[in-house]
PDB file of all heavy atoms in Angstrom:
ATOM      1  N   THR A1078      12.409  90.681 -40.567  1.00 90.00           N
ATOM      2  CA  THR A1078      12.734  91.897 -39.808  1.00 90.00           C
ATOM      3  C   THR A1078      13.989  92.543 -40.220  1.00 90.00           C
ATOM      4  O   THR A1078      14.263  93.710 -39.905  1.00 90.00           O
ATOM      5  CB  THR A1078      12.763  91.490 -38.346  1.00 90.00           C
ATOM      6  OG1 THR A1078      13.854  90.583 -38.150  1.00 90.00           O
ATOM      7  CG2 THR A1078      11.479  91.047 -37.761  1.00 90.00           C
ATOM      8  N   ASN A1079      14.906  91.803 -40.961  1.00 90.00           N
ATOM      9  CA  ASN A1079      16.067  92.400 -41.351  1.00 90.00           C
ATOM     10  C   ASN A1079      16.699  91.674 -42.566  1.00 90.00           C
ATOM     11  O   ASN A1079      16.480  90.442 -42.630  1.00 90.00           O
ATOM     12  CB  ASN A1079      17.139  92.407 -40.228  1.00 90.00           C
ATOM     13  CG  ASN A1079      18.170  93.552 -40.319  1.00 90.00           C
ATOM     14  OD1 ASN A1079      18.145  94.259 -41.355  1.00 90.00           O
ATOM     15  ND2 ASN A1079      19.052  93.626 -39.326  1.00 90.00           N
ATOM     16  N   ILE A1080      17.507  92.317 -43.334  1.00 92.00           N
ATOM     17  CA  ILE A1080      18.228  91.654 -44.369  1.00 92.00           C
ATOM     18  C   ILE A1080      19.714  92.299 -44.299  1.00 92.00           C
ATOM     19  O   ILE A1080      19.908  93.424 -44.233  1.00 92.00           O
ATOM     20  CB  ILE A1080      17.770  92.054 -45.819  1.00 92.00           C
ATOM     21  CG1 ILE A1080      16.287  91.614 -45.923  1.00 92.00           C
ATOM     22  CG2 ILE A1080      18.528  91.354 -46.901  1.00 92.00           C
ATOM     23  CD1 ILE A1080      15.619  92.098 -47.199  1.00 92.00           C
ATOM     24  N   ILE A1081      20.671  91.274 -44.214  1.00 91.00           N
ATOM     25  CA  ILE A1081      22.046  91.718 -44.032  1.00 91.00           C
ATOM     26  C   ILE A1081      22.847  91.251 -45.211  1.00 91.00           C
ATOM     27  O   ILE A1081      22.912  90.091 -45.532  1.00 91.00           O
ATOM     28  CB  ILE A1081      22.591  91.151 -42.683  1.00 91.00           C
ATOM     29  CG1 ILE A1081      21.732  91.551 -41.504  1.00 91.00           C
ATOM     30  CG2 ILE A1081      24.118  91.546 -42.499  1.00 91.00           C
ATOM     31  CD1 ILE A1081      21.965  90.782 -40.246  1.00 91.00           C
ATOM     32  N   PHE A1082      23.569  92.215 -45.827  1.00 90.00           N
ATOM     33  CA  PHE A1082      24.440  91.875 -46.914  1.00 90.00           C
ATOM     34  C   PHE A1082      25.714  91.201 -46.413  1.00 90.00           C
ATOM     35  O   PHE A1082      26.410  91.700 -45.452  1.00 90.00           O
ATOM     36  CB  PHE A1082      24.852  93.142 -47.685  1.00 90.00           C
ATOM     37  CG  PHE A1082      25.771  92.893 -48.916  1.00 90.00           C
ATOM     38  CD1 PHE A1082      25.238  92.256 -50.031  1.00 90.00           C
ATOM     39  CD2 PHE A1082      27.084  93.230 -48.885  1.00 90.00           C
ATOM     40  CE1 PHE A1082      26.071  92.091 -51.130  1.00 90.00           C
ATOM     41  CE2 PHE A1082      27.949  93.005 -49.896  1.00 90.00           C
ATOM     42  CZ  PHE A1082      27.421  92.519 -51.039  1.00 90.00           C
ATOM     43  N   GLN A1083      26.077  90.066 -46.968  1.00 89.00           N
ATOM     44  CA  GLN A1083      27.324  89.335 -46.624  1.00 89.00           C
ATOM     45  C   GLN A1083      28.265  89.231 -47.766  1.00 89.00           C
ATOM     46  O   GLN A1083      27.935  89.697 -48.863  1.00 89.00           O
ATOM     47  CB  GLN A1083      26.968  87.970 -46.173  1.00 89.00           C
ATOM     48  CG  GLN A1083      26.001  87.968 -44.921  1.00 89.00           C
ATOM     49  CD  GLN A1083      25.748  86.633 -44.446  1.00 89.00           C
ATOM     50  OE1 GLN A1083      25.694  86.371 -43.162  1.00 89.00           O
ATOM     51  NE2 GLN A1083      25.532  85.556 -45.305  1.00 89.00           N
ATOM     52  N   GLU A1084      29.444  88.724 -47.521  1.00 85.00           N
ATOM     53  CA  GLU A1084      30.416  88.613 -48.598  1.00 85.00           C
ATOM     54  C   GLU A1084      29.891  87.767 -49.779  1.00 85.00           C
ATOM     55  O   GLU A1084      30.191  88.166 -50.868  1.00 85.00           O
ATOM     56  CB  GLU A1084      31.740  87.861 -48.073  1.00 85.00           C
ATOM     57  CG  GLU A1084      32.854  87.866 -49.065  1.00 85.00           C
ATOM     58  CD  GLU A1084      34.052  87.303 -48.406  1.00 85.00           C
ATOM     59  OE1 GLU A1084      34.115  87.010 -47.231  1.00 85.00           O
ATOM     60  OE2 GLU A1084      35.045  87.041 -49.259  1.00 85.00           O
ATOM     61  N   LYS A1085      29.160  86.823 -49.502  1.00 86.00           N
ATOM     62  CA  LYS A1085      28.540  85.959 -50.532  1.00 86.00           C
ATOM     63  C   LYS A1085      27.023  85.980 -50.264  1.00 86.00           C
ATOM     64  O   LYS A1085      26.563  85.082 -49.526  1.00 86.00           O
ATOM     65  CB  LYS A1085      29.110  84.620 -50.631  1.00 86.00           C
ATOM     66  CG  LYS A1085      30.534  84.556 -51.062  1.00 86.00           C
ATOM     67  CD  LYS A1085      31.165  83.182 -51.168  1.00 86.00           C
ATOM     68  CE  LYS A1085      32.536  83.194 -51.649  1.00 86.00           C
ATOM     69  NZ  LYS A1085      33.116  81.792 -51.774  1.00 86.00           N
ATOM     70  N   GLY A1086      26.253  86.797 -50.860  1.00 92.00           N
ATOM     71  CA  GLY A1086      24.861  86.730 -50.669  1.00 92.00           C
ATOM     72  C   GLY A1086      24.281  87.638 -49.609  1.00 92.00           C
ATOM     73  O   GLY A1086      24.845  88.596 -49.155  1.00 92.00           O
ATOM     74  N   PHE A1087      23.147  87.081 -49.016  1.00 95.00           N
ATOM     75  CA  PHE A1087      22.392  87.816 -48.082  1.00 95.00           C
ATOM     76  C   PHE A1087      21.983  86.930 -46.956  1.00 95.00           C
ATOM     77  O   PHE A1087      21.629  85.770 -47.206  1.00 95.00           O
ATOM     78  CB  PHE A1087      21.209  88.486 -48.614  1.00 95.00           C
ATOM     79  CG  PHE A1087      21.516  89.532 -49.752  1.00 95.00           C
ATOM     80  CD1 PHE A1087      21.653  89.027 -51.045  1.00 95.00           C
ATOM     81  CD2 PHE A1087      21.657  90.816 -49.404  1.00 95.00           C
ATOM     82  CE1 PHE A1087      21.945  89.915 -52.126  1.00 95.00           C
ATOM     83  CE2 PHE A1087      21.940  91.781 -50.491  1.00 95.00           C
ATOM     84  CZ  PHE A1087      22.080  91.237 -51.771  1.00 95.00           C
ATOM     85  N   LYS A1088      21.864  87.453 -45.693  1.00 95.00           N
ATOM     86  CA  LYS A1088      21.266  86.748 -44.613  1.00 95.00           C
ATOM     87  C   LYS A1088      19.903  87.441 -44.340  1.00 95.00           C
ATOM     88  O   LYS A1088      19.891  88.662 -44.156  1.00 95.00           O
ATOM     89  CB  LYS A1088      22.063  86.816 -43.307  1.00 95.00           C
ATOM     90  CG  LYS A1088      21.448  86.136 -42.159  1.00 95.00           C
ATOM     91  CD  LYS A1088      22.460  85.878 -40.997  1.00 95.00           C
ATOM     92  CE  LYS A1088      22.919  87.184 -40.418  1.00 95.00           C
ATOM     93  NZ  LYS A1088      23.741  86.889 -39.197  1.00 95.00           N
ATOM     94  N   VAL A1089      18.891  86.645 -44.451  1.00 95.00           N
ATOM     95  CA  VAL A1089      17.522  87.168 -44.194  1.00 95.00           C
ATOM     96  C   VAL A1089      17.066  86.699 -42.829  1.00 95.00           C
ATOM     97  O   VAL A1089      17.057  85.561 -42.536  1.00 95.00           O
ATOM     98  CB  VAL A1089      16.542  86.633 -45.232  1.00 95.00           C
ATOM     99  CG1 VAL A1089      15.137  87.054 -44.940  1.00 95.00           C
ATOM    100  CG2 VAL A1089      17.041  87.032 -46.672  1.00 95.00           C
ATOM    101  N   VAL A1090      16.768  87.613 -41.964  1.00 94.00           N
ATOM    102  CA  VAL A1090      16.422  87.376 -40.569  1.00 94.00           C
ATOM    103  C   VAL A1090      14.866  87.548 -40.435  1.00 94.00           C
ATOM    104  O   VAL A1090      14.248  88.581 -40.873  1.00 94.00           O
ATOM    105  CB  VAL A1090      17.090  88.447 -39.600  1.00 94.00           C
ATOM    106  CG1 VAL A1090      16.798  88.128 -38.193  1.00 94.00           C
ATOM    107  CG2 VAL A1090      18.598  88.378 -39.803  1.00 94.00           C
ATOM    108  N   THR A1091      14.272  86.526 -39.863  1.00 93.00           N
ATOM    109  CA  THR A1091      12.806  86.569 -39.558  1.00 93.00           C
ATOM    110  C   THR A1091      12.589  86.419 -38.075  1.00 93.00           C
ATOM    111  O   THR A1091      13.496  86.304 -37.261  1.00 93.00           O
ATOM    112  CB  THR A1091      12.066  85.388 -40.311  1.00 93.00           C
ATOM    113  OG1 THR A1091      12.334  84.134 -39.557  1.00 93.00           O
ATOM    114  CG2 THR A1091      12.570  85.239 -41.742  1.00 93.00           C
ATOM    115  N   ALA A1092      11.308  86.584 -37.687  1.00 87.00           N
ATOM    116  CA  ALA A1092      10.926  86.400 -36.321  1.00 87.00           C
ATOM    117  C   ALA A1092      11.309  85.021 -35.716  1.00 87.00           C
ATOM    118  O   ALA A1092      11.338  84.801 -34.527  1.00 87.00           O
ATOM    119  CB  ALA A1092       9.522  86.774 -36.092  1.00 87.00           C
ATOM    120  N   LYS A1093      11.525  83.986 -36.663  1.00 92.00           N
ATOM    121  CA  LYS A1093      11.662  82.654 -36.238  1.00 92.00           C
ATOM    122  C   LYS A1093      13.082  82.055 -36.504  1.00 92.00           C
ATOM    123  O   LYS A1093      13.446  81.013 -36.000  1.00 92.00           O
ATOM    124  CB  LYS A1093      10.653  81.830 -36.941  1.00 92.00           C
ATOM    125  CG  LYS A1093       9.254  82.038 -36.462  1.00 92.00           C
ATOM    126  CD  LYS A1093       8.237  81.117 -37.228  1.00 92.00           C
ATOM    127  CE  LYS A1093       6.827  81.381 -36.793  1.00 92.00           C
ATOM    128  NZ  LYS A1093       5.837  80.545 -37.451  1.00 92.00           N
ATOM    129  N   GLY A1094      13.943  82.681 -37.313  1.00 94.00           N
ATOM    130  CA  GLY A1094      15.205  82.213 -37.701  1.00 94.00           C
ATOM    131  C   GLY A1094      15.943  83.028 -38.721  1.00 94.00           C
ATOM    132  O   GLY A1094      15.597  84.184 -39.006  1.00 94.00           O
ATOM    133  N   GLU A1095      17.031  82.487 -39.220  1.00 96.00           N
ATOM    134  CA  GLU A1095      17.852  83.186 -40.256  1.00 96.00           C
ATOM    135  C   GLU A1095      18.107  82.286 -41.425  1.00 96.00           C
ATOM    136  O   GLU A1095      18.136  81.034 -41.314  1.00 96.00           O
ATOM    137  CB  GLU A1095      19.209  83.441 -39.618  1.00 96.00           C
ATOM    138  CG  GLU A1095      19.136  84.418 -38.448  1.00 96.00           C
ATOM    139  CD  GLU A1095      20.520  84.673 -37.845  1.00 96.00           C
ATOM    140  OE1 GLU A1095      21.499  84.012 -38.275  1.00 96.00           O
ATOM    141  OE2 GLU A1095      20.695  85.616 -36.977  1.00 96.00           O
ATOM    142  N   TYR A1096      18.115  82.807 -42.655  1.00 97.00           N
ATOM    143  CA  TYR A1096      18.140  82.091 -43.888  1.00 97.00           C
ATOM    144  C   TYR A1096      19.179  82.790 -44.825  1.00 97.00           C
ATOM    145  O   TYR A1096      19.310  84.011 -44.831  1.00 97.00           O
ATOM    146  CB  TYR A1096      16.762  82.088 -44.580  1.00 97.00           C
ATOM    147  CG  TYR A1096      15.713  81.426 -43.702  1.00 97.00           C
ATOM    148  CD1 TYR A1096      15.049  82.244 -42.668  1.00 97.00           C
ATOM    149  CD2 TYR A1096      15.324  80.156 -43.840  1.00 97.00           C
ATOM    150  CE1 TYR A1096      14.122  81.740 -41.925  1.00 97.00           C
ATOM    151  CE2 TYR A1096      14.294  79.642 -43.051  1.00 97.00           C
ATOM    152  CZ  TYR A1096      13.619  80.381 -42.078  1.00 97.00           C
ATOM    153  OH  TYR A1096      12.693  79.821 -41.297  1.00 97.00           O
ATOM    154  N   ILE A1097      19.879  82.006 -45.546  1.00 97.00           N
ATOM    155  CA  ILE A1097      20.979  82.450 -46.427  1.00 97.00           C
ATOM    156  C   ILE A1097      20.533  82.361 -47.887  1.00 97.00           C
ATOM    157  O   ILE A1097      19.968  81.312 -48.249  1.00 97.00           O
ATOM    158  CB  ILE A1097      22.314  81.787 -46.330  1.00 97.00           C
ATOM    159  CG1 ILE A1097      22.723  81.874 -44.801  1.00 97.00           C
ATOM    160  CG2 ILE A1097      23.380  82.390 -47.115  1.00 97.00           C
ATOM    161  CD1 ILE A1097      22.875  83.263 -44.280  1.00 97.00           C
ATOM    162  N   ALA A1098      20.721  83.398 -48.711  1.00 97.00           N
ATOM    163  CA  ALA A1098      20.414  83.347 -50.199  1.00 97.00           C
ATOM    164  C   ALA A1098      21.400  84.111 -50.992  1.00 97.00           C
ATOM    165  O   ALA A1098      22.021  85.019 -50.509  1.00 97.00           O
ATOM    166  CB  ALA A1098      18.955  83.876 -50.457  1.00 97.00           C
ATOM    167  N   SER A1099      21.636  83.628 -52.250  1.00 96.00           N
ATOM    168  CA  SER A1099      22.427  84.342 -53.172  1.00 96.00           C
ATOM    169  C   SER A1099      21.790  85.649 -53.608  1.00 96.00           C
ATOM    170  O   SER A1099      22.436  86.666 -53.853  1.00 96.00           O
ATOM    171  CB  SER A1099      22.757  83.517 -54.321  1.00 96.00           C
ATOM    172  OG  SER A1099      23.408  82.275 -53.969  1.00 96.00           O
ATOM    173  N   VAL A1100      20.510  85.569 -53.791  1.00 96.00           N
ATOM    174  CA  VAL A1100      19.710  86.717 -54.358  1.00 96.00           C
ATOM    175  C   VAL A1100      18.468  86.989 -53.435  1.00 96.00           C
ATOM    176  O   VAL A1100      17.815  86.010 -52.994  1.00 96.00           O
ATOM    177  CB  VAL A1100      19.288  86.540 -55.812  1.00 96.00           C
ATOM    178  CG1 VAL A1100      18.346  87.611 -56.216  1.00 96.00           C
ATOM    179  CG2 VAL A1100      20.538  86.395 -56.655  1.00 96.00           C
ATOM    180  N   VAL A1101      18.140  88.238 -53.173  1.00 95.00           N
ATOM    181  CA  VAL A1101      16.867  88.554 -52.511  1.00 95.00           C
ATOM    182  C   VAL A1101      16.079  89.442 -53.448  1.00 95.00           C
ATOM    183  O   VAL A1101      16.543  90.413 -54.042  1.00 95.00           O
ATOM    184  CB  VAL A1101      17.115  89.270 -51.183  1.00 95.00           C
ATOM    185  CG1 VAL A1101      15.895  89.810 -50.630  1.00 95.00           C
ATOM    186  CG2 VAL A1101      17.817  88.317 -50.222  1.00 95.00           C
ATOM    187  N   ILE A1102      14.787  89.123 -53.555  1.00 94.00           N
ATOM    188  CA  ILE A1102      13.850  89.956 -54.339  1.00 94.00           C
ATOM    189  C   ILE A1102      12.891  90.551 -53.363  1.00 94.00           C
ATOM    190  O   ILE A1102      12.150  89.839 -52.554  1.00 94.00           O
ATOM    191  CB  ILE A1102      13.051  89.178 -55.379  1.00 94.00           C
ATOM    192  CG1 ILE A1102      14.115  88.621 -56.358  1.00 94.00           C
ATOM    193  CG2 ILE A1102      12.023  90.067 -56.109  1.00 94.00           C
ATOM    194  CD1 ILE A1102      13.439  87.666 -57.490  1.00 94.00           C
ATOM    195  N   LEU A1103      12.816  91.870 -53.360  1.00 90.00           N
ATOM    196  CA  LEU A1103      11.820  92.591 -52.470  1.00 90.00           C
ATOM    197  C   LEU A1103      10.524  92.811 -53.261  1.00 90.00           C
ATOM    198  O   LEU A1103      10.492  93.590 -54.235  1.00 90.00           O
ATOM    199  CB  LEU A1103      12.424  93.992 -52.056  1.00 90.00           C
ATOM    200  CG  LEU A1103      13.809  93.880 -51.293  1.00 90.00           C
ATOM    201  CD1 LEU A1103      14.279  95.321 -51.062  1.00 90.00           C
ATOM    202  CD2 LEU A1103      13.703  93.065 -50.048  1.00 90.00           C
ATOM    203  N   ALA A1104       9.420  92.205 -52.748  1.00 88.00           N
ATOM    204  CA  ALA A1104       8.161  92.385 -53.306  1.00 88.00           C
ATOM    205  C   ALA A1104       7.034  92.569 -52.373  1.00 88.00           C
ATOM    206  O   ALA A1104       5.972  92.058 -52.452  1.00 88.00           O
ATOM    207  CB  ALA A1104       7.891  91.074 -54.172  1.00 88.00           C
ATOM    208  N   THR A1105       7.368  93.451 -51.390  1.00 82.00           N
ATOM    209  CA  THR A1105       6.369  93.718 -50.312  1.00 82.00           C
ATOM    210  C   THR A1105       5.549  94.873 -50.523  1.00 82.00           C
ATOM    211  O   THR A1105       4.651  95.172 -49.761  1.00 82.00           O
ATOM    212  CB  THR A1105       7.130  93.894 -48.947  1.00 82.00           C
ATOM    213  OG1 THR A1105       7.972  95.038 -49.107  1.00 82.00           O
ATOM    214  CG2 THR A1105       7.960  92.699 -48.534  1.00 82.00           C
ATOM    215  N   GLY A1106       5.817  95.608 -51.612  1.00 70.00           N
ATOM    216  CA  GLY A1106       5.119  96.911 -51.822  1.00 70.00           C
ATOM    217  C   GLY A1106       5.800  97.899 -51.015  1.00 70.00           C
ATOM    218  O   GLY A1106       6.813  97.610 -50.278  1.00 70.00           O
ATOM    219  N   ASN A1107       5.458  99.175 -51.134  1.00 58.00           N
ATOM    220  CA  ASN A1107       6.020 100.342 -50.395  1.00 58.00           C
ATOM    221  C   ASN A1107       5.043 100.895 -49.455  1.00 58.00           C
ATOM    222  O   ASN A1107       4.378 101.869 -49.767  1.00 58.00           O
ATOM    223  CB  ASN A1107       6.614 101.309 -51.362  1.00 58.00           C
ATOM    224  CG  ASN A1107       7.298 102.392 -50.673  1.00 58.00           C
ATOM    225  OD1 ASN A1107       7.886 102.196 -49.571  1.00 58.00           O
ATOM    226  ND2 ASN A1107       7.400 103.516 -51.276  1.00 58.00           N
ATOM    227  N   LYS A1108       4.893 100.356 -48.260  1.00 60.00           N
ATOM    228  CA  LYS A1108       4.043 100.891 -47.253  1.00 60.00           C
ATOM    229  C   LYS A1108       4.721 101.808 -46.438  1.00 60.00           C
ATOM    230  O   LYS A1108       5.856 101.583 -45.939  1.00 60.00           O
ATOM    231  CB  LYS A1108       3.477  99.807 -46.368  1.00 60.00           C
ATOM    232  CG  LYS A1108       2.749  98.701 -47.048  1.00 60.00           C
ATOM    233  CD  LYS A1108       2.416  97.504 -46.126  1.00 60.00           C
ATOM    234  CE  LYS A1108       3.696  96.952 -45.674  1.00 60.00           C
ATOM    235  NZ  LYS A1108       3.514  95.787 -44.731  1.00 60.00           N
ATOM    236  N   LYS A1109       4.252 103.055 -46.207  1.00 57.00           N
ATOM    237  CA  LYS A1109       4.858 104.008 -45.336  1.00 57.00           C
ATOM    238  C   LYS A1109       3.936 104.035 -44.101  1.00 57.00           C
ATOM    239  O   LYS A1109       2.883 104.612 -44.119  1.00 57.00           O
ATOM    240  CB  LYS A1109       5.060 105.375 -45.931  1.00 57.00           C
ATOM    241  CG  LYS A1109       5.807 106.313 -45.110  1.00 57.00           C
ATOM    242  CD  LYS A1109       6.426 107.494 -45.851  1.00 57.00           C
ATOM    243  CE  LYS A1109       7.385 108.261 -45.089  1.00 57.00           C
ATOM    244  NZ  LYS A1109       8.034 109.346 -45.773  1.00 57.00           N
ATOM    245  N   ASN A1110       4.498 103.525 -42.996  1.00 67.00           N
ATOM    246  CA  ASN A1110       3.680 103.393 -41.730  1.00 67.00           C
ATOM    247  C   ASN A1110       3.880 104.614 -40.908  1.00 67.00           C
ATOM    248  O   ASN A1110       4.532 104.695 -39.953  1.00 67.00           O
ATOM    249  CB  ASN A1110       4.170 102.090 -40.983  1.00 67.00           C
ATOM    250  CG  ASN A1110       3.844 100.871 -41.745  1.00 67.00           C
ATOM    251  OD1 ASN A1110       2.702 100.649 -42.232  1.00 67.00           O
ATOM    252  ND2 ASN A1110       4.826 100.004 -41.912  1.00 67.00           N
ATOM    253  N   ARG A1111       3.236 105.766 -41.380  1.00 80.00           N
ATOM    254  CA  ARG A1111       3.299 106.952 -40.594  1.00 80.00           C
ATOM    255  C   ARG A1111       2.153 107.046 -39.575  1.00 80.00           C
ATOM    256  O   ARG A1111       1.013 106.942 -39.989  1.00 80.00           O
ATOM    257  CB  ARG A1111       3.201 108.191 -41.538  1.00 80.00           C
ATOM    258  CG  ARG A1111       3.315 109.438 -40.765  1.00 80.00           C
ATOM    259  CD  ARG A1111       3.001 110.668 -41.715  1.00 80.00           C
ATOM    260  NE  ARG A1111       4.010 110.945 -42.606  1.00 80.00           N
ATOM    261  CZ  ARG A1111       3.896 111.270 -43.856  1.00 80.00           C
ATOM    262  NH1 ARG A1111       2.675 111.399 -44.397  1.00 80.00           N
ATOM    263  NH2 ARG A1111       4.997 111.473 -44.570  1.00 80.00           N
ATOM    264  N   PRO A1112       2.523 107.024 -38.329  1.00 90.00           N
ATOM    265  CA  PRO A1112       1.338 107.020 -37.339  1.00 90.00           C
ATOM    266  C   PRO A1112       0.585 108.336 -37.344  1.00 90.00           C
ATOM    267  O   PRO A1112       1.112 109.339 -37.795  1.00 90.00           O
ATOM    268  CB  PRO A1112       2.099 106.853 -35.957  1.00 90.00           C
ATOM    269  CG  PRO A1112       3.546 106.621 -36.306  1.00 90.00           C
ATOM    270  CD  PRO A1112       3.817 107.051 -37.756  1.00 90.00           C
ATOM    271  N   LYS A1113      -0.650 108.244 -36.940  1.00 91.00           N
ATOM    272  CA  LYS A1113      -1.475 109.468 -36.877  1.00 91.00           C
ATOM    273  C   LYS A1113      -1.197 110.169 -35.637  1.00 91.00           C
ATOM    274  O   LYS A1113      -1.914 110.194 -34.565  1.00 91.00           O
ATOM    275  CB  LYS A1113      -2.984 109.047 -36.906  1.00 91.00           C
ATOM    276  CG  LYS A1113      -3.407 108.395 -38.247  1.00 91.00           C
ATOM    277  CD  LYS A1113      -4.832 108.024 -38.280  1.00 91.00           C
ATOM    278  CE  LYS A1113      -5.216 107.456 -39.653  1.00 91.00           C
ATOM    279  NZ  LYS A1113      -6.648 107.057 -39.767  1.00 91.00           N
ATOM    280  N   ILE A1114      -0.069 110.955 -35.598  1.00 96.00           N
ATOM    281  CA  ILE A1114       0.372 111.742 -34.493  1.00 96.00           C
ATOM    282  C   ILE A1114       0.515 113.178 -35.017  1.00 96.00           C
ATOM    283  O   ILE A1114       1.208 113.453 -36.033  1.00 96.00           O
ATOM    284  CB  ILE A1114       1.742 111.250 -34.004  1.00 96.00           C
ATOM    285  CG1 ILE A1114       1.543 109.794 -33.469  1.00 96.00           C
ATOM    286  CG2 ILE A1114       2.279 112.146 -32.938  1.00 96.00           C
ATOM    287  CD1 ILE A1114       2.884 109.077 -33.153  1.00 96.00           C
ATOM    288  N   LYS A1115       0.047 114.055 -34.277  1.00 96.00           N
ATOM    289  CA  LYS A1115       0.100 115.576 -34.640  1.00 96.00           C
ATOM    290  C   LYS A1115       1.510 115.988 -34.811  1.00 96.00           C
ATOM    291  O   LYS A1115       2.382 115.720 -33.972  1.00 96.00           O
ATOM    292  CB  LYS A1115      -0.527 116.385 -33.561  1.00 96.00           C
ATOM    293  CG  LYS A1115      -2.060 116.152 -33.555  1.00 96.00           C
ATOM    294  CD  LYS A1115      -2.731 117.059 -32.443  1.00 96.00           C
ATOM    295  CE  LYS A1115      -4.171 116.785 -32.353  1.00 96.00           C
ATOM    296  NZ  LYS A1115      -4.818 117.535 -31.211  1.00 96.00           N
ATOM    297  N   ARG A1116       1.789 116.606 -36.040  1.00 96.00           N
ATOM    298  CA  ARG A1116       3.100 117.244 -36.296  1.00 96.00           C
ATOM    299  C   ARG A1116       4.176 116.263 -36.660  1.00 96.00           C
ATOM    300  O   ARG A1116       5.333 116.752 -36.817  1.00 96.00           O
ATOM    301  CB  ARG A1116       3.551 118.200 -35.241  1.00 96.00           C
ATOM    302  CG  ARG A1116       2.596 119.410 -34.945  1.00 96.00           C
ATOM    303  CD  ARG A1116       3.274 120.526 -34.262  1.00 96.00           C
ATOM    304  NE  ARG A1116       4.348 121.172 -35.046  1.00 96.00           N
ATOM    305  CZ  ARG A1116       5.259 121.862 -34.562  1.00 96.00           C
ATOM    306  NH1 ARG A1116       5.440 122.085 -33.303  1.00 96.00           N
ATOM    307  NH2 ARG A1116       6.211 122.393 -35.420  1.00 96.00           N
ATOM    308  N   ILE A1117       3.893 114.963 -36.754  1.00 94.00           N
ATOM    309  CA  ILE A1117       5.002 114.077 -37.135  1.00 94.00           C
ATOM    310  C   ILE A1117       5.581 114.394 -38.455  1.00 94.00           C
ATOM    311  O   ILE A1117       6.773 114.277 -38.608  1.00 94.00           O
ATOM    312  CB  ILE A1117       4.436 112.584 -36.948  1.00 94.00           C
ATOM    313  CG1 ILE A1117       5.755 111.600 -37.131  1.00 94.00           C
ATOM    314  CG2 ILE A1117       3.442 112.230 -38.149  1.00 94.00           C
ATOM    315  CD1 ILE A1117       5.403 110.216 -36.740  1.00 94.00           C
ATOM    316  N   GLU A1118       4.784 114.769 -39.391  1.00 91.00           N
ATOM    317  CA  GLU A1118       5.255 115.000 -40.711  1.00 91.00           C
ATOM    318  C   GLU A1118       6.188 116.185 -40.746  1.00 91.00           C
ATOM    319  O   GLU A1118       7.156 116.334 -41.502  1.00 91.00           O
ATOM    320  CB  GLU A1118       4.081 115.244 -41.653  1.00 91.00           C
ATOM    321  CG  GLU A1118       4.488 115.246 -43.172  1.00 91.00           C
ATOM    322  CD  GLU A1118       3.292 115.269 -44.101  1.00 91.00           C
ATOM    323  OE1 GLU A1118       2.081 115.120 -43.562  1.00 91.00           O
ATOM    324  OE2 GLU A1118       3.498 115.337 -45.277  1.00 91.00           O
TER     325      GLU A1118
END
């Protein structure tokens, strides 16, 4: 749900906990979750 940059590395926050890493690789693809709502665009 979140990634937080820290002085040394990153804190990765999930729905179940928090994890620390020196490097984070984003490989989720680029989904744009635009709801089907009139005039939102």
Side-chain angles (χ1 to χ4, degrees):
T1078 58
N1079 204 357
I1080 303 173
I1081 301 168
F1082 180 72
Q1083 300 187 137
E1084 185 177 352
K1085 293 183 178 180
F1087 300 86
K1088 177 165 68 175
V1089 177
V1090 182
T1091 76
K1093 296 181 180 179
E1095 298 179 351
Y1096 304 81
I1097 306 299
S1099 300
V1100 173
V1101 171
I1102 296 176
L1103 304 177
T1105 60
N1107 183 28
K1108 302 170 296 180
K1109 189 157 187 179
N1110 297 310
R1111 178 188 289 144
K1113 293 181 179 179
I1114 298 170
K1115 292 177 183 176
R1116 297 200 67 197
I1117 189 168
E1118 192 171 357

